[in-house]
Amino acid sequence: MTIIPSLILKQLYTNGSLENTSSGYRFGLKNRLSDCKIIEIKAIIIDGTLINDEAVLVDLEEGGKLGINDITAANPIEFPLKRKMNVLVSGEPLEEGKYKIEIKFEVKPFGKLTLKVEDSITSGDEDIIRIPRDETDDYSDEAIKKRQGFVEAFTGVKMEHTASYSFDPHLTQGNIEHFSGVAQIPLGLAGPILINGEHAQGEFLIPMATSEGTLVASYNRGIKVMNLSGGATVTVVGDAMQRAPVFVFENARKCREFVAWVNDNMDEIRDHAEATSSIAKLLYIDPYLSNKFVYLRFNYSTGDAAGQNMVGRATFAACSWILDHYSDGITNFYLESNFATDKKASQINVMRTRGKRVIAECTVKRDVLIQHMRVEPEKLNYHSNIATLGAFFCGANNNGAHSPNAITAMFIATGQDVANVAESSAGIFYSELTPEGDLYLSLTIPSLIVATFGGGTALPTQQECLRILGCDGKNKVNKLAEIVAAVALAGEISLGSAISSSDWVSSHEKYGRNR
């Protein structure tokens, strides 16, 4: 018999489903865990009051309604994954406010379970203006046209360009809600770029989605110089995705004791975390203690996925087991403490890695740099040292020129979560003169969060860009990381040279929209 941790069990309840009806009130359940059979509902308790069995019906929608006394081992409710049911309670409606709901039931194969949740009865909101939505199929042409008509009626703006798209809107289910059209962003190609990676080897065309004039031209210029010098060597040196819960205790000593317990029970914690996914692997947990708080930074490998949602589920399962088995003084718990620094730049990511830690290197030949960039290696290196001091002085998370430009343009093109640019923007740039008078350049991106599976990577135009890069399919995420880092380094060559040789403004005047 498998014991389900209490936090996991709560996922059966549909939050926000508690509402009054003409004959009483109701709430909803949905199986989000595993196929099972309900063989008995022993009790339903609302705010400490046991509800009379005769007042309760279970509405199975397509399966009709059953009294809870009709549910037995001989007449169970088949409750497969994703099935919904409503619990109907007849009697007086509930007043507005928050209620504690407790359900005691027996399920095959999990045995006797107790579900405890809280939900609220809210006041009517009939007068709120709502964007049209179709509960049956919100991605149908009819639902989309209703929303487009709503936009025109509400704003006076006809959706002419944004309403034009070339794919089935149903493909966006799980990626966006209230789908109404598309935002078309210009797509340019840079390259081919020569990369000597462990996963990316050869020449690659680079799709870049941007509206910034000169950006693609600038990367093309840097790629040319890089190619003439033998290309970029790229190495993925680290890989970890985090979720960071916080546990609250009465005092610091209990915090210390808890961390020791976690270390002693790592095998069990790892088993519960990894049971939620065939891909996520718990690598290690970093504990950080402050005041009366324990921040546990769970570190995972996540395959081809970026993995934020994956590690959230895994850590939720692990912490559910912890909360059920550690009883010495936990006074509060939150699944995320801000210590994972989702969508935020942070020093811990620079030091400890988030996503992929990638290093791109190249040695630009002296003659190539002078002939094509009109700048000597000594001048570019000198400027780089001054710029590093400037970055340090102002507290920037990147001492390079503009690596987030390449990262953002490639993220948009390939369906990455663009908000991850906040973390991926960190960069450590280094240059030195070689004994031959050439210029060695290196860019470390310590928290590059990329994926070739999941999220927006499967959408039609984004998948097409991944195919252009040769990064569609399994086991391609490190290849994509190496390509992104190489392109980012090419941009450092181009912009650094433009600033050092005073070509920067004139290039924008020629190719951009300054005039």
Side-chain angles (χ1 to χ4, degrees), residues 459-475:
L459 293 174
T461 55
Q462 288 75 14
Q463 181 65 208
E464 198 167 280
C465 288
L466 284 171
R467 289 200 300 271
I468 290 171
L469 288 165
C471 289
D472 58 314
K474 291 184 177 181
N475 302 319

Side-chain angles (χ1 to χ4, degrees), residues 91-400:
E92 293 296 320
L94 299 174
E95 296 182 358
E96 292 179 16
K98 186 164 68 172
Y99 290 86
K100 294 180 179 179
I101 300 171
E102 185 174 341
I103 307 172
K104 297 178 181 291
F105 55 112
E106 188 168 350
V107 178
K108 187 177 181 181
F110 302 110
K112 296 177 181 179
L113 302 172
T114 299
L115 171 65
K116 295 181 180 181
V117 295
E118 292 184 347
D119 205 348
S120 300
I121 294 287
T122 59
S123 58
D125 52 6
E126 295 80 5
D127 296 332
I128 295 176
I129 296 174
R130 288 187 173 86
I131 297 170
R133 178 173 175 77
D134 187 333
E135 292 293 339
T136 304
D137 182 2
D138 202 41
Y139 297 84
S140 66
D141 290 340
E142 182 180 359
I144 294 165
K145 283 183 170 58
K146 282 183 180 179
R147 280 192 287 274
Q148 292 170 349
F150 170 81
V151 170
E152 185 171 0
F154 190 81
T155 67
V157 177
K158 183 174 178 58
M159 293 180 66
E160 180 181 356
H161 299 289
T162 51
S164 299
Y165 44 87
S166 59
F167 53 83
D168 181 357
H170 290 89
L171 295 173
T172 68
Q173 190 167 358
N175 292 107
I176 195 167
E177 300 74 43
H178 287 161
F179 178 87
S180 303
V182 294
Q184 300 179 81
I185 300 169
L187 182 73
L189 290 171
I193 183 172
L194 177 61
I195 301 175
N196 309 306
E198 293 176 301
H199 305 275
Q201 298 174 353
E203 294 184 307
F204 300 89
L205 279 175
I206 308 301
M208 308 184 83
T210 182
S211 57
E212 181 182 347
T214 76
L215 189 142
V216 175
S218 176
Y219 280 95
N220 255 330
R221 193 167 78 140
I223 288 170
K224 178 182 178 182
V225 168
M226 182 182 286
N227 288 350
L228 290 171
S229 300
T233 299
V234 193
T235 311
V236 177
V237 298
D239 181 6
M241 179 50 64
Q242 293 80 24
R243 184 61 58 204
V246 59
F247 294 81
V248 183
F249 292 86
E250 296 171 359
N251 55 56
R253 289 181 186 173
K254 289 186 180 294
C255 292
R256 184 180 63 193
E257 292 164 3
F258 173 67
V259 170
W261 182 89
V262 168
N263 291 334
D264 289 342
N265 288 272
M266 268 301 300
D267 290 343
E268 191 76 30
I269 293 169
R270 180 176 285 108
D271 287 346
H272 281 81
E274 294 180 358
T276 63
S277 170
S278 61
I279 298 170
K281 301 300 177 187
L282 179 57
L283 304 174
Y284 56 93
I285 299 175
D286 277 335
Y288 297 86
L289 281 68
S290 175
N291 306 95
K292 57 179 182 177
F293 311 119
V294 176
Y295 298 87
L296 294 182
R297 202 165 188 257
F298 284 65
N299 293 265
Y300 298 84
S301 61
T302 57
D304 288 315
Q308 288 100 322
N309 293 333
M310 184 190 301
V311 304
R313 288 192 303 271
T315 306
F316 183 76
C319 290
S320 296
W321 182 85
I322 290 172
L323 291 169
D324 284 348
H325 289 80
Y326 190 84
S327 56
D328 190 14
I330 297 175
T331 62
N332 219 326
F333 159 79
Y334 300 97
L335 180 61
E336 180 49 60
S337 62
N338 240 358
F339 213 103
T341 69
D342 259 341
K343 313 301 195 296
K344 295 174 283 292
S346 68
Q347 189 61 30
I348 194 169
N349 287 347
V350 173
M351 300 298 294
R352 299 289 287 157
T353 302
R354 181 168 168 84
K356 306 294 184 286
R357 192 177 195 92
V358 198
I359 301 173
E361 306 167 277
C362 72
T363 299
V364 179
K365 299 298 183 184
R366 180 180 190 84
D367 291 345
V368 170
L369 196 60
I370 294 172
Q371 292 170 16
H372 295 274
M373 294 301 195
R374 295 179 299 282
V375 63
E376 294 79 14
E378 293 83 2
K379 188 174 182 180
L380 186 54
N381 186 58
Y382 181 63
H383 170 230
S384 174
N385 290 337
I386 294 173
T388 293
L389 181 60
F392 171 77
F393 194 28
C394 72
N397 72 336
N398 190 325
N399 70 317

